[in-house]
Amino acid sequence: MMVREYFSAIAASFNLLLEGGGKHPSAWREVGAAAISPSLGFTRLAYGDRYRSVFDSHNPATYTYMRIGWNKVDNLFDSAVSQNVKRNAATMDFHMSYGLPGKDGYTYTRPFDYFDFEFSATSANVFENIMSRGLLVGKDYAAGENYRGVWGLYGSYDYISPQVFRVSSTAVSLGTTGQLWLSKNVALQGTALAGVGYGAAGTIHGSGERDYHYGATPQALLALRMLFGQSANLDLTARSYYVSDVASTENRGTERILRGDAAFTVRVHGPHSVTIKYNASRRDASYPDLATTHQSVNTLSLLYTYSFGDTRFGAVDWRDTP
């Protein structure tokens, strides 16, 4: 599922760039698309008109940005083992939301007509997180004049590794994604999911512990984004994973992972913004033959943000549509 969502994000980025140039994209768009996906770019070049047509995306509402900056480990607690943690690191984030609810005429008839994909890479441990979720089967809905949403069955893959521990999970969840206009210029977007998957978690370089514990993993997600017109936005996200001993390779031990993120972005000019971000990650592990383990890592980041093709941080406005 993770591979499917990853290639959906790449293909969507590739297609959106080409589609913006109409039926015959310019050479610059072809070059940019090839940079996003060299294999798809080579296919279009090698096979001529056979693969020249652009897949119809149904013109979705999207929000895409890239962040580059610096992060610092603000607080670290590790009862498992004393580890060499890099407290200062360069970081890069990429995020894409595709098919945001509220766009007039957009439908959710295909898997991944809505998806959300993000990853963070740092100089401390390469990939710090890879998180994706997509609507497999669902339907759009409305509540009054100011709310639009979509609900259904989501597939997800998450990988989180804040230096001292890691967790990964592939899951299926029920949930909803929507947007509510609170005033003329202020909107609230959000996603709520609850489901179960199969996950793995464990400490990194821990003394006397397995690197990973596998098991059925109930999990939940709540993500909120407050949009203040073209000026600023506030992102809040909370994730919970419980890696149980059900369907485990060894019937022993459980892990509870909590992850919270808060980011405040202020636009400087055009697509250029500045972001301050704080995230907190916590692991509590219980094994019958080992002492109870508590680990937590809190990180503060200062980032430059570049938004691709959007001046309202992804806000979808249907209110003036006939």
Side-chain angles (χ1 to χ4, degrees):
M1 188 178 298
M2 179 265 181
V3 174
R4 174 75 179 272
E5 292 184 4
Y6 171 77
F7 282 107
S8 293
I10 295 299
S13 302
F14 180 92
N15 184 72
L16 285 172
L17 184 57
L18 292 177
E19 192 177 40
K23 293 184 178 181
H24 302 286
S26 67
W28 287 111
R29 288 183 179 272
E30 293 282 2
V31 171
I36 293 172
S37 177
S39 60
L40 291 175
F42 175 78
T43 299
R44 287 173 60 83
L45 177 65
Y47 292 94
D49 292 338
R50 184 178 178 184
Y51 292 100
R52 303 300 288 182
S53 61
V54 178
F55 179 71
D56 185 7
S57 68
H58 297 174
N59 193 25
T62 63
Y63 176 48
T64 306
Y65 63 77
M66 180 175 289
R67 292 171 174 166
I68 301 173
W70 160 89
N71 66 22
K72 177 180 177 62
V73 174
D74 179 58
N75 187 37
L76 171 68
F77 177 79
D78 189 350
S79 65
V81 63
S82 177
Q83 301 192 45
N84 294 322
V85 172
K86 294 182 180 179
R87 292 185 173 270
N88 293 277
T91 183
M92 181 188 74
D93 299 342
F94 175 83
H95 180 275
M96 181 178 190
S97 295
Y98 179 97
L100 291 165
K103 183 66 178 289
D104 184 53
Y106 187 75
T107 59
Y108 299 88
T109 58
R110 305 171 297 186
F112 304 104
D113 272 337
Y114 165 79
F115 69 81
D116 190 278
F117 175 81
E118 62 181 294
F119 76 85
S120 296
T122 75
S123 59
N125 58 348
V126 191
F127 287 111
E128 182 174 287
N129 59 67
I130 304 172
M131 294 176 283
S132 62
R133 59 182 182 270
L135 186 69
L136 302 176
V137 179
K139 183 177 178 58
D140 57 327
Y141 66 99
E145 295 296 326
N146 293 322
Y147 182 85
R148 297 292 184 270
V150 60
W151 74 276
L153 188 67
Y154 291 69
S156 65
Y157 173 82
D158 294 339
Y159 172 81
I160 300 171
S161 179
Q163 295 200 58
V164 298
F165 67 85
R166 55 196 166 204
V167 59
S168 64
S169 173
T170 300
V172 175
S173 303
L174 285 174
T176 183
T177 299
Q179 178 182 304
L180 172 67
W181 281 106
L182 300 174
S183 68
K184 181 179 179 180
N185 294 312
V186 178
L188 177 65
Q189 292 180 342
T191 295
L193 301 178
V196 65
Y198 196 76
T203 190
I204 299 176
H205 307 306
S207 176
E209 290 195 55
R210 286 167 46 97
D211 275 353
Y212 275 100
H213 166 72
Y214 298 88
T217 306
Q219 60 191 68
L221 162 74
L222 178 62
L224 299 173
R225 176 181 296 139
M226 185 73 76
L227 309 170
F228 303 97
Q230 299 186 29
S231 302
N233 73 54
L234 174 65
D235 286 281
L236 301 172
T237 306
R239 303 172 187 270
S240 173
Y241 310 88
Y242 180 72
V243 186
S244 70
D245 57 1
V246 177
S248 178
T249 53
E250 295 181 2
N251 189 21
R252 58 182 290 274
T254 60
E255 310 240 359
R256 182 177 296 279
I257 310 293
L258 299 173
R259 168 87 170 197
D261 296 90
F264 185 65
T265 299
V266 177
R267 187 182 304 279
V268 177
H269 177 72
H272 310 287
S273 305
V274 175
T275 300
I276 184 168
K277 180 179 179 181
Y278 194 83
N279 63 52
S281 305
R282 179 182 174 91
R283 170 181 177 256
D284 297 298
S286 177
Y287 291 88
D289 53 342
L290 294 171
T292 300
T293 299
H294 304 287
Q295 295 174 293
S296 63
V297 183
N298 299 346
T299 304
L300 177 66
S301 304
L302 182 62
L303 306 160
Y304 159 75
T305 300
Y306 184 88
S307 301
F308 294 89
D310 187 88
T311 60
R312 302 189 66 174
F313 299 107
V316 183
D317 198 346
W318 59 85
R319 295 169 297 179
D320 294 331
T321 302

